[in-house]
């Protein structure tokens, strides 16, 4: 990730996403964001459609596209986040591959092979029925925004209970935060 005012040259095999968070949450530097980006790097994304729930600045949708996803749907309840996501997609010349809107996840009709949600644990648990319904058969779900068990003992367990219908593939930790990867 780099802000528009800073020049960065990507090393071979690296991807640089141009990001201006503006009025939305998400600089790409937080541990939860880097955890999801790391999972995406390890996920086959060529030609895959991705849903980013609670997209903020659109950083995770843009990372997925830079790693080969064919298109991304980015949703957020904050209209400013939707506008910033569109602006960042245009900055990265992928505006034609990003659909950003404020449709509540419960009203998204499609399913996706990869679904991302980097939102606080309580909200992840509350949205579980709607998020689960968006994961395609054989699909992958990546959740973050969850404090580690030694920091907040109930958060990871709350999320695990809410998503127990999926197979937990792995838990990754960075600092005080974790990301959980599920498969349908």
């Amino acid at each position: 990730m780099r802000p528009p005012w800073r020049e960065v040259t990507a090393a071979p095999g690296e991807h640089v996403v141009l990001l201006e968070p503006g009025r939305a949450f998400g600089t790409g530097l937080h541990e939860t964001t880097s955890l999801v980006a790391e999972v995406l790097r390890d996920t086959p994304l060529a030609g895959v459609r991705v849903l980013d729930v609670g997209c903020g600045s659109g950083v995770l949708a843009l990372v997925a596209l830079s790693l080969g996803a064919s298109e991304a749907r980015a949703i957020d309840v904050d209209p400013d986040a939707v506008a910033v996501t569109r602006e960042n997609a245009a900055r990265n010349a992928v505006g034609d591959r990003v659909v950003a809107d404020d449709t509540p996840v419960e009203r998204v009709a499609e399913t996706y092979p990869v679904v991302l949600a980097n939102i606080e644990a309580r909200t992840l648990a509350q949205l579980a029925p709607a998020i689960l319904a968006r994961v395609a058969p054989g699909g992958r779900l990546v959740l973050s925004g969850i404090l580690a068990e030694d920091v907040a003992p109930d958060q990871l367990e709350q999320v695990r209970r809410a998503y127990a219908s999926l197979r937990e593939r792995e838990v990754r930790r960075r600092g005080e935060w974790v990301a959980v990867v599920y498969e349908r």
Side-chain angles (χ1 to χ4, degrees), residues 12 18 28 78 100 120 129:
L18 185 61
D78 179 358
E120 68 171 16

Side-chain angles (χ1 to χ4, degrees), residues 111-114 135-141 166-167 169 182-184:
T111 60
Y112 293 81
V114 176
V135 182
R140 180 172 285 196
L141 172 64
L166 299 182
R167 183 172 73 85
R169 181 181 167 121
Y182 290 98
E183 287 183 347
R184 178 172 297 286

Side-chain angles (χ1 to χ4, degrees), residues 21-99:
R23 309 166 306 282
F25 180 80
T27 62
L29 301 177
H30 195 271
E31 284 114 341
T32 59
T33 308
S34 62
L35 280 166
V36 178
E38 180 181 286
V39 171
L40 287 171
R41 185 194 66 219
D42 297 339
T43 300
L45 291 173
V48 170
R49 294 170 44 249
V50 174
L51 174 64
D52 182 2
V53 179
C55 63
S57 64
V59 61
L60 294 174
L62 296 173
V63 167
L65 290 170
S66 77
L67 294 170
S70 61
E71 62 184 66
R73 172 108 185 247
I75 60 173
D76 202 300
V77 295
D78 179 358
D80 282 339
V82 171
V84 169
T85 295
R86 289 177 182 151
E87 292 164 11
N88 282 323
R91 270 187 194 90
N92 286 276
V94 293
D96 60 330
R97 295 171 45 210
V98 175
V99 174

Side-chain angles (χ1 to χ4, degrees), residues 75-156:
I75 60 173
D76 202 300
V77 295
D78 179 358
D80 282 339
V82 171
V84 169
T85 295
R86 289 177 182 151
E87 292 164 11
N88 282 323
R91 270 187 194 90
N92 286 276
V94 293
D96 60 330
R97 295 171 45 210
V98 175
V99 174
D101 60 57
D102 61 359
T103 301
V105 66
E106 302 85 13
R107 293 190 32 225
V108 172
E110 303 87 5
T111 60
Y112 293 81
V114 176
V115 177
L116 315 169
N118 182 15
I119 313 170
E120 68 171 16
R122 181 180 60 225
T123 304
L124 288 172
Q126 290 169 346
L127 292 176
I131 291 174
L132 286 164
R134 305 307 161 251
V135 182
R140 180 172 285 196
L141 172 64
V142 184
L143 303 176
S144 197
I146 307 159
L147 284 165
E149 291 176 288
D150 59 325
V151 178
D154 298 336
Q155 284 196 14
L156 182 56

